[in-house]
Amino acid sequence: MVAVVDSNNLSIPNLNTNGNESRVGYKRSVSRSNSGYVSSVMGECCISCTTFNILAPIYKRLDHQNQSLRESDVRDSWFNRNQTILDWLICERSSVICLQEFWVGNEELVLMYQERLGNAGYNTFSLARTNNRGDGLLTALHRDYFNVLNYRELLFNDFGDRVAQLVHVESVVPFFQNQRGGQQEILIVNTHLLFPHDSSLSVVRLHQVYKILQYLELYQTENKLNHIPIILCGDWNGSKRGHVYKFLRSQGFVSSYDIAHQYTDGDADAHKWVSHRNHRGNICGVDFIWLRNPNQSRKPLKASWAEAVFSIIKCQLQKASLAENDAFAFFKADNNGDVITHSAFCEALRQVNLAGLPYGLSFQETDDLWAQADVDGNGVVNYEEFKRMWNLSCSAQIENNCNDNMEDSKDCSEKEILGFAVKDAFLFPSEVEKGNWPENYSLSDHAPLSVVFSPVRMQSSS
């Protein structure tokens, strides 16, 4: 049974920007119970999710004059900071916690998180990055709320030694009292994409997302999961203006924080909030909790992938001040005819650092791109086909606001399924929600993002 607190006058322990506990009043559209549940005003269970890059002590610099001195060298520093992070997480009581830069290489810290989160009611799963990088991921799920049906680890084995976690869960109790078919199943992913040290690495981050989505498609097919919500959490190391953001939007995902605050995909709303101050001192919004409901339309995955890569190619050539005609000549190279050959296409990809490198496109992926460009399949790409490729954009095929997807249709041919609406979303500390980074914030170089989802009934014709 879920205890519902009056949502109009809710006061819970919280932490200020220095990590110290304080009492603050929250006036939100949802209420929080002692067990970690969140209930809507309609009396239906909601779920909450927090994603947080907690800055591994092996990366945290303590002295700008001495770059070799890291927090991992000073036990009191990393121990106290992580205890404070745990205080905040346990106080927040999210149903799902996804952490990045979790210091898996330190047994004492790992045990600290396992014990404290375990005592707070969570099952935890940790995963190290490949090649002994020292950090990794931790996903925690509240035992009173979720049963874990399956857990999978995705090792990209790529240039950045990145990994991802996939957890298949079901709710302990149905979200609706009169729900038919038992508990609700959800797929949850936690990941941390490569940092974009230069523009040539954009395709690596895009490729990491492509692998995640490919695996999700495969997992759903193997387990016959046709109508299941998917939540992607993590540090995506790219902003709303980046290729990864557009790629995920074209695949039916929405940014939960932007939905909650009614922000659009346009440039005007691209910098309304931030979640990270990187080692260069730049502030940007890179932490996302993505939602895709089972009734969301989307493009075929391979087509979206091709469009995203073509978009990277276009950006690279435009940086070199090449317009459409010049770009066609670049791809055509020394070919005397007005067409691009397969060999010239592959050479052009090598010249823009998308192929021929350890982290570049594979031969199969290059052939897949060629198949998308060579529309008529005659073995060459003419100017009209190139123009189509040049003008492709990884555009979303869905409505921007997923909260309007409840269907009232009573068509008996349609099946009722369950999805989620974004009830609320917030970043801590509050200054980052206005695009500012407070100098006295010391928990991490990232701000934790929390989202509350409420269940909604929707229709599916398949």
Side-chain angles (χ1 to χ4, degrees), residues 399-422:
E399 293 297 323
N400 197 50
N401 194 341
C402 71
N403 293 349
D404 295 330
N405 284 331
M406 282 201 309
E407 300 286 348
D408 295 323
S409 170
K410 293 182 171 45
D411 187 344
C412 62
S413 65
E414 293 188 335
K415 176 182 177 180
E416 183 178 271
I417 57 177
L418 203 63
F420 292 109
V422 179

Side-chain angles (χ1 to χ4, degrees), residues 35-37 94-96 120-123 140-146:
S35 66
Y37 285 53
S94 288
S95 313
V96 181
Y122 290 91
N123 288 322
L141 302 113
H142 204 286
R143 286 190 293 269
D144 290 344
Y145 205 64
F146 287 120

Side-chain angles (χ1 to χ4, degrees), residues 162-203:
R162 299 295 173 168
V163 295
Q165 295 174 295
L166 168 64
V167 191
H168 180 187
V169 301
E170 69 172 3
S171 59
V172 171
V173 296
F175 286 133
F176 295 99
Q177 291 183 356
N178 60 345
Q179 180 182 338
R180 297 188 301 273
Q183 284 68 40
Q184 173 64 32
E185 296 181 30
I186 311 166
L187 294 180
I188 301 168
V189 172
N190 181 16
T191 195
H192 181 192
L193 301 188
L194 179 72
F195 182 82
H197 293 280
D198 60 66
S199 59
S200 68
L201 298 177
S202 295
V203 73

Side-chain angles (χ1 to χ4, degrees), residues 90 124 147 151 174 255 306 341 384 458:
I90 292 169
T124 60
N147 295 318
Y151 168 72
S255 165
T341 63
E384 288 304 315
M458 51 188 59

Side-chain angles (χ1 to χ4, degrees), residues 206-207 209-210 213-214 217 243-253 292 297-312 368-369 372 388 392-398:
L206 193 68
H207 199 249
V209 179
Y210 188 38
L213 298 186
Q214 282 180 312
E217 281 197 353
H243 301 290
V244 165
Y245 183 94
K246 295 173 184 176
F247 181 38
L248 284 168
R249 291 288 286 121
S250 75
Q251 282 298 296
F253 289 94
R292 186 171 78 190
S297 62
R298 58 188 183 274
K299 295 180 180 180
L301 179 56
K302 188 175 288 187
S304 280
W305 158 253
E307 290 180 6
V309 176
F310 287 145
S311 180
I312 290 177
D368 289 343
L369 285 180
Q372 293 286 330
R388 172 186 169 277
L392 279 176
S393 62
C394 206
S395 57
Q397 297 294 298
I398 56 179

Side-chain angles (χ1 to χ4, degrees), residues 219-284:
Y219 185 86
Q220 288 177 278
T221 300
E222 289 179 344
N223 294 277
K224 300 179 180 179
L225 303 173
N226 297 322
H227 304 294
I228 185 169
I230 300 174
I231 297 173
L232 308 180
C233 303
D235 174 3
W236 302 84
N237 261 322
S239 71
K240 291 178 64 175
R241 302 181 68 180
H243 301 290
V244 165
Y245 183 94
K246 295 173 184 176
F247 181 38
L248 284 168
R249 291 288 286 121
S250 75
Q251 282 298 296
F253 289 94
V254 293
S255 165
S256 301
Y257 184 85
D258 291 293
I259 291 296
H261 294 266
Q262 300 182 341
Y263 293 151
T264 68
D265 291 337
D267 287 348
D269 290 336
H271 302 293
K272 289 288 183 66
W273 58 273
V274 297
S275 66
H276 175 44
R277 180 166 67 178
N278 66 28
H279 60 280
R280 299 169 180 166
N282 302 322
I283 58 173
C284 45

